[in-house]
């Protein structure tokens, strides 16, 4: 029996990296997809109701849920995987960069959770999985805005989980905290460094398990939290980081 048989899953950031791997894994586990991204062309090849969704746009969220409900009757799973990474220390971070990162990573996740709760409570419940980061659990001196945005996602998740549990909505909400997963986001970050090979080796050295993660490693954790196997799991934070934050 496929692990997501009969489920309708809306996934943001589905054009690339973790979102894309999640969409492919979910489809292989029987889910019907509403894959979405700012980069509409990047959604090619994914099954389902692909659509452009800018997670910072309140109107886009309302339209995406309305379209999903019109096509499938409900949304059972929301995965908030869209995100951007801009790295700088507190001294170097411009207000414009802070706002860009917060708008996509924190506000985008807030808008998605709000839309999902409003819709799912009318259709019997569901599961929300928010992609935070190891940088939402521990600080990184070079990621001031990114850490702040991912910390916000971590505690937003718990607030949503408690609200839904206490209200009896049958909606679970959990966060996943990847560390260095080899996706276009990480590859771009490494390529920007003065000595990319040295940076890559440093990231591997920093990871107790001795390798970088893959998008598939993260998607597997998202699948568990989205599935009914995690029926008693809500408000949890799952580090998928090769042991990085265990030390
Ligand atoms: N790769 C890592 O090492 C790593 C580590 C920790 C957390 N994360 C988080 O995982 C998530 C996925 O990252 P990834 O590594 O797959 O990155 P990625 O750059 O490969 O994919 C991110 C996707 O988000 C989309 N996106 C960006 N802004 C958007 C917006 N406003 N609306 C809709 N879509 C938008 C992009 O078009 C892209 O397709 C992000 O939230 C990221 O912060 C990644």
């Amino acid at each position: 029996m496929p692990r997501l048989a009969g489920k309708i899953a809306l996934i943001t950031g589905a054009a690339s990296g973790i979102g894309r791997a999640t969409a492919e894994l979910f489809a292989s586990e029987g889910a019907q997809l509403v894959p979405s991204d700012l980069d509409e062309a990047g959604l090619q090849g994914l099954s389902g109701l692909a659509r452009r969704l800018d997670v910072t746009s309140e109107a886009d969220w309302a339209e995406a849920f309305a379209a999903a409900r019109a096509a499938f009757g409900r949304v059972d799973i929301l995965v908030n995987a869209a995100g951007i990474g801009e790295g700088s220390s507190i001294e170097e971070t411009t207000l414009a960069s802070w706002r860009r990162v917060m708008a996509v990573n924190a506000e985008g996740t807030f808008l998605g959770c709000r839309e999902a709760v409003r819709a799912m409570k009318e259709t019997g419940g569901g599961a929300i999985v928010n992609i935070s980061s190891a940088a939402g659990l521990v600080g990184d001196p070079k990621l001031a805005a990114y850490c702040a945005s991912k910390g916000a996602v971590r505690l937003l998740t718990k607030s949503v989980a408690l609200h839904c549990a206490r209200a009896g909505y049958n909606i679970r909400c959990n966060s996943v905290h990847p560390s260095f997963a080899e996706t276009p986001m990480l590859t771009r970050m490494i390529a920007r460094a003065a000595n990319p090979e040295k940076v890559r080796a440093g990231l591997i050295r920093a990871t107790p398990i001795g390798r970088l993660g893959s998008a598939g490693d993260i998607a597997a954790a998202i699948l568990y939290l989205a599935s009914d196997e995690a029926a008693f799991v809500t408000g949890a934070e799952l580090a998928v980081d090769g042991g990085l934050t265990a030390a």
Side-chain angles (χ1 to χ4, degrees), residues 13-19 37-39 53-56 80-84 104-105 131-134 146 150 178-181 183-186 188:
S16 176
I18 292 167
D37 204 289
L38 197 54
D39 169 17
L53 162 59
D54 178 350
V55 296
T56 66
N80 282 306
I84 58 170
V104 178
N105 297 358
I131 314 311
S132 174
S133 172
Y146 188 77
K150 294 300 188 178
S179 59
F180 313 119
T183 66
M185 181 189 282
L186 189 76
R188 280 193 302 271

PDB file of all heavy atoms in Angstrom, residues 13-19 37-39 53-56 80-84 104-105 131-134 146 150 178-181 183-186 188, ligand 1:
ATOM      1  N   GLY A  13       8.027  25.457  -3.592  1.00  0.00           N
ATOM      2  CA  GLY A  13       9.439  25.260  -3.924  1.00  0.00           C
ATOM      3  C   GLY A  13       9.670  23.956  -4.661  1.00  0.00           C
ATOM      4  O   GLY A  13      10.763  23.375  -4.613  1.00  0.00           O
ATOM      5  N   ALA A  14       8.652  23.485  -5.388  1.00  0.00           N
ATOM      6  CA  ALA A  14       8.711  22.143  -5.986  1.00  0.00           C
ATOM      7  C   ALA A  14       9.527  22.094  -7.283  1.00  0.00           C
ATOM      8  O   ALA A  14       9.692  21.025  -7.866  1.00  0.00           O
ATOM      9  CB  ALA A  14       7.300  21.616  -6.236  1.00  0.00           C
ATOM     10  N   ALA A  15      10.040  23.247  -7.737  1.00  0.00           N
ATOM     11  CA  ALA A  15      10.819  23.235  -8.980  1.00  0.00           C
ATOM     12  C   ALA A  15      12.242  22.744  -8.761  1.00  0.00           C
ATOM     13  O   ALA A  15      12.932  22.397  -9.726  1.00  0.00           O
ATOM     14  CB  ALA A  15      10.838  24.644  -9.585  1.00  0.00           C
ATOM     15  N   SER A  16      12.699  22.723  -7.525  1.00  0.00           N
ATOM     16  CA  SER A  16      14.134  22.494  -7.308  1.00  0.00           C
ATOM     17  C   SER A  16      14.408  21.790  -5.977  1.00  0.00           C
ATOM     18  O   SER A  16      13.590  21.850  -5.047  1.00  0.00           O
ATOM     19  CB  SER A  16      14.824  23.872  -7.326  1.00  0.00           C
ATOM     20  OG  SER A  16      16.192  23.775  -7.032  1.00  0.00           O
ATOM     21  N   GLY A  17      15.535  21.154  -5.906  1.00  0.00           N
ATOM     22  CA  GLY A  17      16.093  20.679  -4.646  1.00  0.00           C
ATOM     23  C   GLY A  17      15.139  19.821  -3.810  1.00  0.00           C
ATOM     24  O   GLY A  17      14.576  18.828  -4.281  1.00  0.00           O
ATOM     25  N   ILE A  18      14.985  20.219  -2.554  1.00  0.00           N
ATOM     26  CA  ILE A  18      14.207  19.431  -1.585  1.00  0.00           C
ATOM     27  C   ILE A  18      12.732  19.369  -1.983  1.00  0.00           C
ATOM     28  O   ILE A  18      12.089  18.319  -1.885  1.00  0.00           O
ATOM     29  CB  ILE A  18      14.386  20.036  -0.171  1.00  0.00           C
ATOM     30  CG1 ILE A  18      15.831  19.827   0.295  1.00  0.00           C
ATOM     31  CG2 ILE A  18      13.395  19.438   0.820  1.00  0.00           C
ATOM     32  CD1 ILE A  18      16.234  20.636   1.528  1.00  0.00           C
ATOM     33  N   GLY A  19      12.169  20.496  -2.437  1.00  0.00           N
ATOM     34  CA  GLY A  19      10.763  20.516  -2.854  1.00  0.00           C
ATOM     35  C   GLY A  19      10.529  19.567  -4.022  1.00  0.00           C
ATOM     36  O   GLY A  19       9.544  18.814  -4.045  1.00  0.00           O
ATOM     37  N   ASP A  37       5.682  26.729  -7.467  1.00  0.00           N
ATOM     38  CA  ASP A  37       6.955  27.427  -7.340  1.00  0.00           C
ATOM     39  C   ASP A  37       6.809  28.796  -8.004  1.00  0.00           C
ATOM     40  O   ASP A  37       5.904  29.006  -8.823  1.00  0.00           O
ATOM     41  CB  ASP A  37       8.089  26.639  -8.037  1.00  0.00           C
ATOM     42  CG  ASP A  37       9.467  26.951  -7.477  1.00  0.00           C
ATOM     43  OD1 ASP A  37       9.973  28.071  -7.722  1.00  0.00           O
ATOM     44  OD2 ASP A  37      10.042  26.101  -6.786  1.00  0.00           O
ATOM     45  N   LEU A  38       7.726  29.685  -7.642  1.00  0.00           N
ATOM     46  CA  LEU A  38       7.855  30.963  -8.349  1.00  0.00           C
ATOM     47  C   LEU A  38       8.309  30.682  -9.778  1.00  0.00           C
ATOM     48  O   LEU A  38       7.913  31.358 -10.728  1.00  0.00           O
ATOM     49  CB  LEU A  38       8.926  31.773  -7.603  1.00  0.00           C
ATOM     50  CG  LEU A  38       9.054  33.258  -7.795  1.00  0.00           C
ATOM     51  CD1 LEU A  38       7.740  33.967  -7.544  1.00  0.00           C
ATOM     52  CD2 LEU A  38      10.127  33.803  -6.841  1.00  0.00           C
ATOM     53  N   ASP A  39       9.144  29.676  -9.917  1.00  0.00           N
ATOM     54  CA  ASP A  39       9.710  29.259 -11.205  1.00  0.00           C
ATOM     55  C   ASP A  39       8.784  28.219 -11.824  1.00  0.00           C
ATOM     56  O   ASP A  39       8.966  27.018 -11.628  1.00  0.00           O
ATOM     57  CB  ASP A  39      11.112  28.692 -10.949  1.00  0.00           C
ATOM     58  CG  ASP A  39      11.689  27.991 -12.169  1.00  0.00           C
ATOM     59  OD1 ASP A  39      11.176  28.206 -13.289  1.00  0.00           O
ATOM     60  OD2 ASP A  39      12.650  27.214 -11.980  1.00  0.00           O
ATOM     61  N   LEU A  53       3.154  29.816  -7.759  1.00  0.00           N
ATOM     62  CA  LEU A  53       2.732  30.335  -6.456  1.00  0.00           C
ATOM     63  C   LEU A  53       3.925  31.050  -5.837  1.00  0.00           C
ATOM     64  O   LEU A  53       4.942  30.412  -5.532  1.00  0.00           O
ATOM     65  CB  LEU A  53       2.244  29.187  -5.561  1.00  0.00           C
ATOM     66  CG  LEU A  53       2.155  29.421  -4.047  1.00  0.00           C
ATOM     67  CD1 LEU A  53       1.229  30.571  -3.686  1.00  0.00           C
ATOM     68  CD2 LEU A  53       1.680  28.153  -3.328  1.00  0.00           C
ATOM     69  N   ASP A  54       3.801  32.372  -5.688  1.00  0.00           N
ATOM     70  CA  ASP A  54       4.810  33.142  -4.959  1.00  0.00           C
ATOM     71  C   ASP A  54       4.384  33.110  -3.498  1.00  0.00           C
ATOM     72  O   ASP A  54       3.334  33.664  -3.137  1.00  0.00           O
ATOM     73  CB  ASP A  54       4.846  34.580  -5.491  1.00  0.00           C
ATOM     74  CG  ASP A  54       5.841  35.448  -4.729  1.00  0.00           C
ATOM     75  OD1 ASP A  54       6.356  35.009  -3.672  1.00  0.00           O
ATOM     76  OD2 ASP A  54       6.094  36.578  -5.184  1.00  0.00           O
ATOM     77  N   VAL A  55       5.178  32.471  -2.653  1.00  0.00           N
ATOM     78  CA  VAL A  55       4.732  32.253  -1.270  1.00  0.00           C
ATOM     79  C   VAL A  55       4.588  33.557  -0.480  1.00  0.00           C
ATOM     80  O   VAL A  55       3.975  33.562   0.588  1.00  0.00           O
ATOM     81  CB  VAL A  55       5.660  31.280  -0.492  1.00  0.00           C
ATOM     82  CG1 VAL A  55       5.631  29.899  -1.124  1.00  0.00           C
ATOM     83  CG2 VAL A  55       7.088  31.816  -0.382  1.00  0.00           C
ATOM     84  N   THR A  56       5.130  34.657  -1.005  1.00  0.00           N
ATOM     85  CA  THR A  56       5.003  35.933  -0.294  1.00  0.00           C
ATOM     86  C   THR A  56       3.686  36.642  -0.626  1.00  0.00           C
ATOM     87  O   THR A  56       3.391  37.688  -0.074  1.00  0.00           O
ATOM     88  CB  THR A  56       6.174  36.896  -0.632  1.00  0.00           C
ATOM     89  OG1 THR A  56       6.077  37.262  -2.019  1.00  0.00           O
ATOM     90  CG2 THR A  56       7.519  36.244  -0.378  1.00  0.00           C
ATOM     91  N   ASN A  80       5.807  23.280   3.089  1.00  0.00           N
ATOM     92  CA  ASN A  80       6.369  24.607   2.841  1.00  0.00           C
ATOM     93  C   ASN A  80       7.875  24.466   2.645  1.00  0.00           C
ATOM     94  O   ASN A  80       8.655  24.552   3.598  1.00  0.00           O
ATOM     95  CB  ASN A  80       6.075  25.529   4.032  1.00  0.00           C
ATOM     96  CG  ASN A  80       4.659  26.049   4.025  1.00  0.00           C
ATOM     97  OD1 ASN A  80       4.198  26.632   3.030  1.00  0.00           O
ATOM     98  ND2 ASN A  80       3.937  25.851   5.116  1.00  0.00           N
ATOM     99  N   ALA A  81       8.270  24.222   1.388  1.00  0.00           N
ATOM    100  CA  ALA A  81       9.697  23.997   1.101  1.00  0.00           C
ATOM    101  C   ALA A  81      10.357  25.185   0.411  1.00  0.00           C
ATOM    102  O   ALA A  81      11.582  25.245   0.342  1.00  0.00           O
ATOM    103  CB  ALA A  81       9.871  22.753   0.241  1.00  0.00           C
ATOM    104  N   ALA A  82       9.576  26.137  -0.109  1.00  0.00           N
ATOM    105  CA  ALA A  82      10.193  27.301  -0.786  1.00  0.00           C
ATOM    106  C   ALA A  82      11.056  28.055   0.208  1.00  0.00           C
ATOM    107  O   ALA A  82      10.699  28.208   1.377  1.00  0.00           O
ATOM    108  CB  ALA A  82       9.102  28.212  -1.336  1.00  0.00           C
ATOM    109  N   GLY A  83      12.200  28.491  -0.239  1.00  0.00           N
ATOM    110  CA  GLY A  83      13.067  29.249   0.661  1.00  0.00           C
ATOM    111  C   GLY A  83      14.202  29.879  -0.114  1.00  0.00           C
ATOM    112  O   GLY A  83      14.507  29.466  -1.242  1.00  0.00           O
ATOM    113  N   ILE A  84      14.802  30.899   0.483  1.00  0.00           N
ATOM    114  CA  ILE A  84      15.996  31.500  -0.119  1.00  0.00           C
ATOM    115  C   ILE A  84      17.086  31.603   0.952  1.00  0.00           C
ATOM    116  O   ILE A  84      16.795  31.737   2.140  1.00  0.00           O
ATOM    117  CB  ILE A  84      15.721  32.894  -0.750  1.00  0.00           C
ATOM    118  CG1 ILE A  84      15.162  33.882   0.277  1.00  0.00           C
ATOM    119  CG2 ILE A  84      14.795  32.776  -1.948  1.00  0.00           C
ATOM    120  CD1 ILE A  84      15.100  35.316  -0.241  1.00  0.00           C
ATOM    121  N   VAL A 104      10.250  35.578   2.331  1.00  0.00           N
ATOM    122  CA  VAL A 104      10.049  34.255   1.724  1.00  0.00           C
ATOM    123  C   VAL A 104      10.006  33.170   2.813  1.00  0.00           C
ATOM    124  O   VAL A 104       9.055  32.389   2.901  1.00  0.00           O
ATOM    125  CB  VAL A 104      11.168  33.927   0.698  1.00  0.00           C
ATOM    126  CG1 VAL A 104      10.963  32.527   0.122  1.00  0.00           C
ATOM    127  CG2 VAL A 104      11.191  34.967  -0.415  1.00  0.00           C
ATOM    128  N   ASN A 105      11.034  33.133   3.646  1.00  0.00           N
ATOM    129  CA  ASN A 105      11.171  31.993   4.572  1.00  0.00           C
ATOM    130  C   ASN A 105      10.170  32.045   5.733  1.00  0.00           C
ATOM    131  O   ASN A 105       9.568  31.022   6.081  1.00  0.00           O
ATOM    132  CB  ASN A 105      12.591  31.939   5.143  1.00  0.00           C
ATOM    133  CG  ASN A 105      13.643  31.702   4.068  1.00  0.00           C
ATOM    134  OD1 ASN A 105      13.315  31.550   2.896  1.00  0.00           O
ATOM    135  ND2 ASN A 105      14.898  31.689   4.449  1.00  0.00           N
ATOM    136  N   ILE A 131       9.697  23.416   6.264  1.00  0.00           N
ATOM    137  CA  ILE A 131      11.137  23.173   6.171  1.00  0.00           C
ATOM    138  C   ILE A 131      11.866  24.354   6.801  1.00  0.00           C
ATOM    139  O   ILE A 131      11.936  25.443   6.224  1.00  0.00           O
ATOM    140  CB  ILE A 131      11.601  22.948   4.708  1.00  0.00           C
ATOM    141  CG1 ILE A 131      10.665  21.965   3.991  1.00  0.00           C
ATOM    142  CG2 ILE A 131      13.046  22.439   4.710  1.00  0.00           C
ATOM    143  CD1 ILE A 131      10.354  20.678   4.732  1.00  0.00           C
ATOM    144  N   SER A 132      12.369  24.094   7.997  1.00  0.00           N
ATOM    145  CA  SER A 132      13.208  25.077   8.680  1.00  0.00           C
ATOM    146  C   SER A 132      14.646  24.752   8.288  1.00  0.00           C
ATOM    147  O   SER A 132      14.945  24.604   7.094  1.00  0.00           O
ATOM    148  CB  SER A 132      12.955  25.021  10.193  1.00  0.00           C
ATOM    149  OG  SER A 132      13.838  25.865  10.890  1.00  0.00           O
ATOM    150  N   SER A 133      15.533  24.601   9.246  1.00  0.00           N
ATOM    151  CA  SER A 133      16.947  24.365   8.947  1.00  0.00           C
ATOM    152  C   SER A 133      17.662  24.026  10.249  1.00  0.00           C
ATOM    153  O   SER A 133      17.165  24.360  11.337  1.00  0.00           O
ATOM    154  CB  SER A 133      17.553  25.645   8.349  1.00  0.00           C
ATOM    155  OG  SER A 133      18.956  25.523   8.219  1.00  0.00           O
ATOM    156  N   ALA A 134      18.843  23.411  10.129  1.00  0.00           N
ATOM    157  CA  ALA A 134      19.706  23.316  11.315  1.00  0.00           C
ATOM    158  C   ALA A 134      19.966  24.732  11.831  1.00  0.00           C
ATOM    159  O   ALA A 134      20.105  24.950  13.041  1.00  0.00           O
ATOM    160  CB  ALA A 134      21.012  22.616  10.952  1.00  0.00           C
ATOM    161  N   TYR A 146      18.974  34.590   7.805  1.00  0.00           N
ATOM    162  CA  TYR A 146      18.513  33.222   7.540  1.00  0.00           C
ATOM    163  C   TYR A 146      18.201  32.495   8.858  1.00  0.00           C
ATOM    164  O   TYR A 146      17.155  31.858   8.992  1.00  0.00           O
ATOM    165  CB  TYR A 146      19.589  32.486   6.739  1.00  0.00           C
ATOM    166  CG  TYR A 146      19.169  31.127   6.231  1.00  0.00           C
ATOM    167  CD1 TYR A 146      18.338  31.001   5.118  1.00  0.00           C
ATOM    168  CD2 TYR A 146      19.600  29.956   6.854  1.00  0.00           C
ATOM    169  CE1 TYR A 146      17.951  29.755   4.646  1.00  0.00           C
ATOM    170  CE2 TYR A 146      19.225  28.709   6.390  1.00  0.00           C
ATOM    171  CZ  TYR A 146      18.404  28.605   5.281  1.00  0.00           C
ATOM    172  OH  TYR A 146      18.012  27.372   4.819  1.00  0.00           O
ATOM    173  N   LYS A 150      14.531  31.074   9.995  1.00  0.00           N
ATOM    174  CA  LYS A 150      14.303  29.644  10.236  1.00  0.00           C
ATOM    175  C   LYS A 150      13.930  29.385  11.702  1.00  0.00           C
ATOM    176  O   LYS A 150      13.208  28.429  12.014  1.00  0.00           O
ATOM    177  CB  LYS A 150      15.525  28.836   9.817  1.00  0.00           C
ATOM    178  CG  LYS A 150      15.777  28.869   8.304  1.00  0.00           C
ATOM    179  CD  LYS A 150      14.597  28.312   7.526  1.00  0.00           C
ATOM    180  CE  LYS A 150      14.872  28.146   6.048  1.00  0.00           C
ATOM    181  NZ  LYS A 150      13.737  27.560   5.320  1.00  0.00           N
ATOM    182  N   PRO A 178      16.999  20.460   8.001  1.00  0.00           N
ATOM    183  CA  PRO A 178      18.150  19.902   7.277  1.00  0.00           C
ATOM    184  C   PRO A 178      19.414  20.712   7.588  1.00  0.00           C
ATOM    185  O   PRO A 178      19.340  21.886   7.962  1.00  0.00           O
ATOM    186  CB  PRO A 178      17.781  20.101   5.802  1.00  0.00           C
ATOM    187  CG  PRO A 178      16.383  20.632   5.763  1.00  0.00           C
ATOM    188  CD  PRO A 178      16.104  21.207   7.106  1.00  0.00           C
ATOM    189  N   SER A 179      20.558  20.052   7.379  1.00  0.00           N
ATOM    190  CA  SER A 179      21.796  20.854   7.396  1.00  0.00           C
ATOM    191  C   SER A 179      22.254  21.012   5.956  1.00  0.00           C
ATOM    192  O   SER A 179      21.538  21.592   5.152  1.00  0.00           O
ATOM    193  CB  SER A 179      22.869  20.207   8.264  1.00  0.00           C
ATOM    194  OG  SER A 179      23.171  18.917   7.772  1.00  0.00           O
ATOM    195  N   PHE A 180      23.399  20.488   5.593  1.00  0.00           N
ATOM    196  CA  PHE A 180      23.935  20.742   4.251  1.00  0.00           C
ATOM    197  C   PHE A 180      23.460  19.656   3.299  1.00  0.00           C
ATOM    198  O   PHE A 180      24.024  18.565   3.272  1.00  0.00           O
ATOM    199  CB  PHE A 180      25.463  20.792   4.290  1.00  0.00           C
ATOM    200  CG  PHE A 180      25.992  21.638   5.420  1.00  0.00           C
ATOM    201  CD1 PHE A 180      26.794  21.092   6.404  1.00  0.00           C
ATOM    202  CD2 PHE A 180      25.660  22.988   5.508  1.00  0.00           C
ATOM    203  CE1 PHE A 180      27.276  21.867   7.451  1.00  0.00           C
ATOM    204  CE2 PHE A 180      26.133  23.769   6.559  1.00  0.00           C
ATOM    205  CZ  PHE A 180      26.942  23.208   7.530  1.00  0.00           C
ATOM    206  N   ALA A 181      22.434  19.981   2.534  1.00  0.00           N
ATOM    207  CA  ALA A 181      21.910  19.028   1.558  1.00  0.00           C
ATOM    208  C   ALA A 181      22.291  19.518   0.164  1.00  0.00           C
ATOM    209  O   ALA A 181      22.100  20.700  -0.160  1.00  0.00           O
ATOM    210  CB  ALA A 181      20.399  18.906   1.699  1.00  0.00           C
ATOM    211  N   THR A 183      21.755  20.555  -2.914  1.00  0.00           N
ATOM    212  CA  THR A 183      20.693  21.044  -3.791  1.00  0.00           C
ATOM    213  C   THR A 183      21.262  22.262  -4.522  1.00  0.00           C
ATOM    214  O   THR A 183      22.334  22.758  -4.156  1.00  0.00           O
ATOM    215  CB  THR A 183      19.486  21.503  -2.961  1.00  0.00           C
ATOM    216  OG1 THR A 183      19.892  22.653  -2.197  1.00  0.00           O
ATOM    217  CG2 THR A 183      18.985  20.423  -2.014  1.00  0.00           C
ATOM    218  N   PRO A 184      20.538  22.775  -5.511  1.00  0.00           N
ATOM    219  CA  PRO A 184      21.029  23.983  -6.182  1.00  0.00           C
ATOM    220  C   PRO A 184      21.330  25.125  -5.201  1.00  0.00           C
ATOM    221  O   PRO A 184      22.275  25.890  -5.400  1.00  0.00           O
ATOM    222  CB  PRO A 184      19.883  24.324  -7.136  1.00  0.00           C
ATOM    223  CG  PRO A 184      19.318  22.974  -7.500  1.00  0.00           C
ATOM    224  CD  PRO A 184      19.381  22.178  -6.226  1.00  0.00           C
ATOM    225  N   MET A 185      20.543  25.235  -4.089  1.00  0.00           N
ATOM    226  CA  MET A 185      20.814  26.312  -3.113  1.00  0.00           C
ATOM    227  C   MET A 185      22.214  26.166  -2.523  1.00  0.00           C
ATOM    228  O   MET A 185      22.990  27.118  -2.464  1.00  0.00           O
ATOM    229  CB  MET A 185      19.778  26.306  -1.980  1.00  0.00           C
ATOM    230  CG  MET A 185      20.008  27.407  -0.954  1.00  0.00           C
ATOM    231  SD  MET A 185      18.953  27.268   0.513  1.00  0.00           S
ATOM    232  CE  MET A 185      17.400  27.896  -0.090  1.00  0.00           C
ATOM    233  N   LEU A 186      22.558  24.954  -2.099  1.00  0.00           N
ATOM    234  CA  LEU A 186      23.867  24.733  -1.468  1.00  0.00           C
ATOM    235  C   LEU A 186      24.984  24.828  -2.516  1.00  0.00           C
ATOM    236  O   LEU A 186      26.039  25.408  -2.258  1.00  0.00           O
ATOM    237  CB  LEU A 186      23.912  23.370  -0.770  1.00  0.00           C
ATOM    238  CG  LEU A 186      25.162  23.177   0.091  1.00  0.00           C
ATOM    239  CD1 LEU A 186      25.026  23.972   1.395  1.00  0.00           C
ATOM    240  CD2 LEU A 186      25.417  21.717   0.415  1.00  0.00           C
ATOM    241  N   ARG A 188      25.052  26.606  -5.189  1.00  0.00           N
ATOM    242  CA  ARG A 188      25.292  28.040  -5.499  1.00  0.00           C
ATOM    243  C   ARG A 188      26.109  28.682  -4.397  1.00  0.00           C
ATOM    244  O   ARG A 188      27.019  29.457  -4.647  1.00  0.00           O
ATOM    245  CB  ARG A 188      23.943  28.776  -5.632  1.00  0.00           C
ATOM    246  CG  ARG A 188      23.237  28.596  -6.974  1.00  0.00           C
ATOM    247  CD  ARG A 188      22.089  29.590  -7.126  1.00  0.00           C
ATOM    248  NE  ARG A 188      21.085  29.492  -6.079  1.00  0.00           N
ATOM    249  CZ  ARG A 188      20.000  28.692  -6.116  1.00  0.00           C
ATOM    250  NH1 ARG A 188      19.779  27.937  -7.181  1.00  0.00           N
ATOM    251  NH2 ARG A 188      19.135  28.673  -5.123  1.00  0.00           N
TER     252      ARG A 188
HETATM  253  N1  LIG B   1      19.974  22.724   0.863  1.00  0.00           N
HETATM  254  C1  LIG B   1      20.276  22.851   2.142  1.00  0.00           C
HETATM  255  O1  LIG B   1      21.412  22.554   2.547  1.00  0.00           O
HETATM  256  C2  LIG B   1      19.244  23.333   3.109  1.00  0.00           C
HETATM  257  C3  LIG B   1      19.574  23.285   4.463  1.00  0.00           C
HETATM  258  C4  LIG B   1      18.628  23.713   5.387  1.00  0.00           C
HETATM  259  C5  LIG B   1      17.389  24.163   4.978  1.00  0.00           C
HETATM  260  N2  LIG B   1      17.112  24.211   3.648  1.00  0.00           N
HETATM  261  C6  LIG B   1      15.784  24.707   3.265  1.00  0.00           C
HETATM  262  O2  LIG B   1      15.146  23.775   2.423  1.00  0.00           O
HETATM  263  C7  LIG B   1      14.222  24.461   1.572  1.00  0.00           C
HETATM  264  C8  LIG B   1      14.484  24.049   0.132  1.00  0.00           C
HETATM  265  O3  LIG B   1      15.793  24.474  -0.211  1.00  0.00           O
HETATM  266  P1  LIG B   1      16.640  23.843  -1.416  1.00  0.00           P
HETATM  267  O4  LIG B   1      17.986  23.573  -0.870  1.00  0.00           O
HETATM  268  O5  LIG B   1      15.882  22.779  -2.061  1.00  0.00           O
HETATM  269  O6  LIG B   1      16.765  25.151  -2.334  1.00  0.00           O
HETATM  270  P2  LIG B   1      16.533  25.382  -3.909  1.00  0.00           P
HETATM  271  O7  LIG B   1      17.076  26.741  -4.164  1.00  0.00           O
HETATM  272  O8  LIG B   1      17.076  24.231  -4.666  1.00  0.00           O
HETATM  273  O9  LIG B   1      14.948  25.382  -4.055  1.00  0.00           O
HETATM  274  C9  LIG B   1      14.168  26.406  -3.498  1.00  0.00           C
HETATM  275  C10 LIG B   1      12.971  26.644  -4.390  1.00  0.00           C
HETATM  276  O10 LIG B   1      12.168  27.678  -3.772  1.00  0.00           O
HETATM  277  C11 LIG B   1      11.678  28.496  -4.810  1.00  0.00           C
HETATM  278  N3  LIG B   1      11.306  29.822  -4.313  1.00  0.00           N
HETATM  279  C12 LIG B   1      12.128  30.820  -3.904  1.00  0.00           C
HETATM  280  N4  LIG B   1      11.403  31.900  -3.576  1.00  0.00           N
HETATM  281  C13 LIG B   1      10.101  31.565  -3.762  1.00  0.00           C
HETATM  282  C14 LIG B   1       8.866  32.262  -3.596  1.00  0.00           C
HETATM  283  N5  LIG B   1       8.826  33.541  -3.180  1.00  0.00           N
HETATM  284  N6  LIG B   1       7.719  31.599  -3.880  1.00  0.00           N
HETATM  285  C15 LIG B   1       7.733  30.323  -4.315  1.00  0.00           C
HETATM  286  N7  LIG B   1       8.869  29.633  -4.516  1.00  0.00           N
HETATM  287  C16 LIG B   1      10.041  30.248  -4.247  1.00  0.00           C
HETATM  288  C17 LIG B   1      12.816  28.553  -5.835  1.00  0.00           C
HETATM  289  O11 LIG B   1      12.346  28.962  -7.116  1.00  0.00           O
HETATM  290  C18 LIG B   1      13.338  27.134  -5.798  1.00  0.00           C
HETATM  291  O12 LIG B   1      12.698  26.326  -6.770  1.00  0.00           O
HETATM  292  C19 LIG B   1      14.445  25.953   1.835  1.00  0.00           C
HETATM  293  O13 LIG B   1      13.458  26.413   2.733  1.00  0.00           O
HETATM  294  C20 LIG B   1      15.811  25.987   2.476  1.00  0.00           C
HETATM  295  O14 LIG B   1      15.977  27.130   3.277  1.00  0.00           O
HETATM  296  C21 LIG B   1      18.006  23.803   2.708  1.00  0.00           C
END
